Amino acid sequence: MWRDALVVAGKDLRVEGRSKVALNQVVPYSLVVLLLFGFAFDQDQPLLVQAAPGLFWLAVLFSGLLAVQRTFSIESADGAADSLRMSGLEPAGIFVGKVAAVAVQLLLLEVFLAGGIVVLFHSKLAGAGLLAASAVLSTTGVAAAGVAYGALSMGTRVRETLLPLLLAPVLAPVVLAATEAWRAALGFSSGDGWRWLGLLAGFTAIYLAGGVLSFGALMEET
Amino acid sequence: MRYPLASGSSRLTRVLGWSALVALALNTWWGLWLSPPDVVQGQFVRMLYIHPAVATMCYAGFGVCALGSVAWLWPRLRSPRWDRLAVAGAEVGAVFCFATLVTGSIWGRASWGVWWTWDARLTLTAILFALSLGYLALRRSIDNPHSRALASSMVAILMALTVVVDHYATVWFVTLHQNETLFQPDPTIHGWQLVTMLMSFLAFGLVFAWMMVHRYRLEVLEERYEREGFTSALEARRSEALPERRVEVPSR
C-alpha cells in the first residue's frame, strides 16, 4: 500500500509541478481571499489581528476545495480514472497517495498564507510547535475528507457544485478546532490549545480509516 | 410484476392521515387554550408543544436513514427496500430539521431575545441540515441505483454520527439550550403541560409516519417510472408511426 501511495503522490505532485495550476491559480486565489477579508472588516486592524486565525483557516478551506477538485479533474481527462483503476495499484494506496499530494500542496500554501496574515493583518506568529502540529493534523484531515468526498462526487453530473456542499459542513469541526488551537498559540484565548489537537487527530483518523476501507468500492462505482 | 405500495393510498394510510390531523388539532387546542402559561416562560411555553416533538422527528428521520443505509451496506441484508427507507428517512428528516430550526429560532427570539445564537446545539443542527441537503443532492445526481445507494449510505452514516454529537451537545459543551425536560426520573413539567407535550409527540409522530409511508411509496413509483418509462416511451413513438394512429397536423 505504501509503495503505491508514494507512486500516486509522486504522480500527482509531478502533474502539479509541470502544469503549475496550483501555483498560478490557487495561490493567487488564496491571496485575493485574504485581501477580501480585509475589505469585509473595513481594514479594522485590531479586529483583523483578532480574527486572523479564523480567516486563515477559512482561506485554507476555500483553497482546499479547489485542490481537491483539481486532484480529481486531472483524472477525468483522457480516461485517466479508468487507467488508474486498471493499473493494479491498491485502492487504499491510491487514496493515501492522493491525500498526501493534496496535503503537501496545502501545507505549502499555508506557509504562504501565514506570511500573508503577518504582512496584511500584522499578526505576530507565536507558539510555533502548536501552530505546526495543528496545521499538519488539520491539513491531513482536510485532505482525507476532501479526497473521500471527492471520490463520492466524482461520478456525478454536478460534481463542481456538489463537492463544496458536501465537504463544507463536514470540515466545520476542523475549521473550529484549528482556529481555536491557533488562537491559543497566538495568545488570543486563555484555554489550552493542545487539547484541540485531540479533536483534530480523531477527525483525521476517522477519515483516513474510512477512506482506506471504502476507496476501492467508491472507485469501482464512480 | 407487482409493485407493493404503488397505489395512491390505502385504508391504513388514510387512517394514519386522519389520525395525524385529529392529533394535531387536539395538540393545537390543548396547547393554545387548555394548557396554562408557564411561571417562568409565560405564554412562550406553548412552543414546548411543537419544538421538542419536531426536533425528535428530525432525529428519528436521520436515524431511520442511517439504519436503512447500514442494512443496505450489510451484504446479507442488501435489498432496494433499505435504500428506499433511507431516502424516505433523510427527506422527511430534512423537512423536520428545517422546522426545528425555524421553531427554535422563534422560541429563541421569544426567550433569549435573539433569532440566532452561536450555541453548540443550534450550530450543529444547522450543519446537520446542510449535510442532509448534501445527501439529497448527491442522490439526485447519480443515475445508477447501485452507485447511488452505495455513495449515499456512506454519507448517511456520517450524518448519524452528527446526530449523536448534536444530541449530547447540551451535555458536552457549554450551551444556552435547556436540557431534557421529559425523559428524566423527575420530569420538570406536570398536569396539562405534560399531557399536551405528550400529545405533541403523538401528533408529530403520526405526521412523521404518514410522510414516511408516502415518501417510500413515491420512491417505489419513481423506480417503476425509471424501469418502465423508457419502454412505454418507445411504444408510444412506435404507435405514432402506425398509419391508422397518425395524427394529422391541420394545414394553415
Side-chain angles (χ1 to χ4, degrees):
Chain A
M1 182 184 97
W2 297 110
R3 200 187 57 84
D4 294 354
L6 272 180
V7 170
V8 173
K11 176 206 63 123
D12 277 12
L13 289 173
R14 251 193 319 280
V15 168
E16 284 313 320
R18 286 176 189 163
S19 67
K20 297 193 175 55
V21 168
L23 184 69
N24 292 339
Q25 294 176 17
V26 180
V27 171
Y29 167 76
S30 64
L31 181 67
V32 172
V33 169
L34 284 190
L35 288 173
L36 291 179
F37 283 145
F39 296 154
F41 284 85
D42 201 19
Q43 292 120 39
D44 183 338
Q45 208 60 59
L47 196 60
L48 274 173
V49 171
Q50 281 273 324
L55 300 179
F56 173 89
W57 282 107
L58 274 182
V60 172
L61 172 74
F62 294 149
S63 313
L65 284 171
L66 293 185
V68 169
Q69 272 177 340
R70 171 79 188 144
T71 192
F72 284 102
S73 74
I74 57 173
E75 305 295 353
S76 64
D78 304 324
D82 289 331
S83 313
L84 200 61
R85 255 177 231 135
M86 291 158 71
S87 62
L89 295 173
E90 259 188 68
I94 298 176
F95 173 75
V96 175
K98 284 210 164 284
V99 171
V102 172
V104 167
Q105 291 172 50
L106 283 180
L107 279 171
L108 290 175
L109 181 77
E110 282 163 23
V111 173
F112 173 78
L113 280 176
I117 62 167
V118 169
V119 173
L120 296 172
F121 301 167
H122 303 183
S123 291
K124 290 185 175 57
L125 297 186
L130 182 56
L131 287 189
S134 55
V136 168
L137 274 177
S138 324
T139 310
T140 316
V142 169
V147 172
Y149 277 88
L152 267 174
S153 58
M154 185 166 67
T156 64
R157 291 184 300 265
V158 286
R159 62 170 182 264
E160 293 84 2
T161 44
L162 185 61
L163 184 66
L165 175 61
L166 284 175
L167 201 51
V170 167
L171 291 181
V174 178
V175 173
L176 171 77
T179 303
E180 289 300 328
W182 273 49
R183 279 173 57 78
L186 301 185
F188 296 131
S189 70
S190 53
D192 177 16
W194 289 96
R195 74 191 174 97
W196 289 101
L197 295 196
L199 178 61
L200 288 173
F203 180 92
T204 305
I206 288 174
Y207 272 95
L208 277 177
V212 163
L213 291 174
S214 64
F215 204 69
L218 286 178
M219 276 186 67
E220 284 297 315
E221 292 294 332
T222 51
Chain B
M1 186 174 176
R2 272 191 75 248
Y3 291 94
L5 291 168
S7 68
S9 67
S10 65
R11 176 179 294 218
L12 175 76
T13 54
R14 277 194 294 272
V15 169
L16 199 59
W18 282 110
S19 317
L21 272 179
V22 170
L24 275 180
L26 281 178
N27 187 39
T28 312
W29 178 33
W30 294 357
L32 288 181
W33 285 282
L34 290 190
S35 157
D38 188 60
V39 184
V40 183
Q41 298 206 35
Q43 298 292 353
F44 300 132
V45 75
R46 303 186 194 285
M47 290 304 289
L48 190 67
Y49 312 133
I50 301 179
H51 182 69
V54 166
T56 307
M57 294 313 136
C58 156
Y59 291 162
F62 294 133
V64 168
C65 175
L67 283 179
S69 303
V70 171
W72 188 89
L73 283 174
W74 206 268
R76 289 179 64 179
L77 288 175
R78 186 164 295 176
S79 143
R81 253 182 239 133
W82 297 119
D83 189 48
R84 281 178 219 141
L85 197 66
V87 66
E91 211 166 292
V92 176
V95 170
F96 277 101
C97 193
F98 182 68
T100 305
L101 286 170
V102 171
T103 54
S105 190
I106 295 169
W107 202 359
R109 174 75 184 151
S111 56
W112 303 329
V114 285
W115 293 106
W116 183 264
T117 177
W118 290 102
D119 169 85
R121 186 176 265 197
L122 268 70
T123 313
L124 276 166
T125 308
I127 287 175
L128 183 63
F129 183 58
L131 272 174
S132 68
L133 292 186
Y135 171 91
L136 294 171
L138 178 73
R139 289 196 68 95
R140 274 196 299 276
S141 61
I142 306 177
D143 293 327
N144 182 317
H146 188 267
S147 311
R148 184 170 55 212
L150 177 76
S152 51
S153 308
M154 292 179 181
V155 176
I157 290 169
L158 180 91
M159 274 204 307
L161 288 178
T162 314
V163 174
V164 176
V165 176
D166 195 2
H167 182 72
Y168 289 103
T170 46
V171 186
W172 293 344
F173 300 98
V174 179
T175 174
L176 277 176
H177 200 283
Q178 70 182 70
N179 280 318
E180 286 183 344
T181 311
L182 207 56
F183 301 109
Q184 54 186 24
D186 182 23
T188 47
I189 62 170
H190 312 276
W192 269 112
Q193 286 188 342
L194 177 64
V195 174
T196 313
M197 195 176 174
L198 290 174
M199 175 49 96
S200 74
F201 276 90
L202 177 71
F204 285 103
L206 287 169
V207 172
F208 174 80
W210 183 81
M211 286 170 83
M212 281 292 291
V213 171
H214 280 287
R215 184 60 189 85
Y216 186 95
R217 215 169 230 173
L218 196 63
E219 195 63 18
V220 173
L221 287 172
E222 271 183 11
E223 279 171 24
R224 182 174 169 186
Y225 176 72
E226 273 174 25
R227 217 173 298 149
E228 295 180 358
F230 182 70
T231 321
S232 58
L234 207 61
E235 275 168 11
R237 292 295 91 75
R238 280 203 183 117
S239 68
E240 278 171 15
L242 293 175
E244 64 272 18
R245 292 202 188 170
R246 187 175 295 153
V247 180
E248 290 297 325
V249 181
S251 56
R252 288 186 183 181

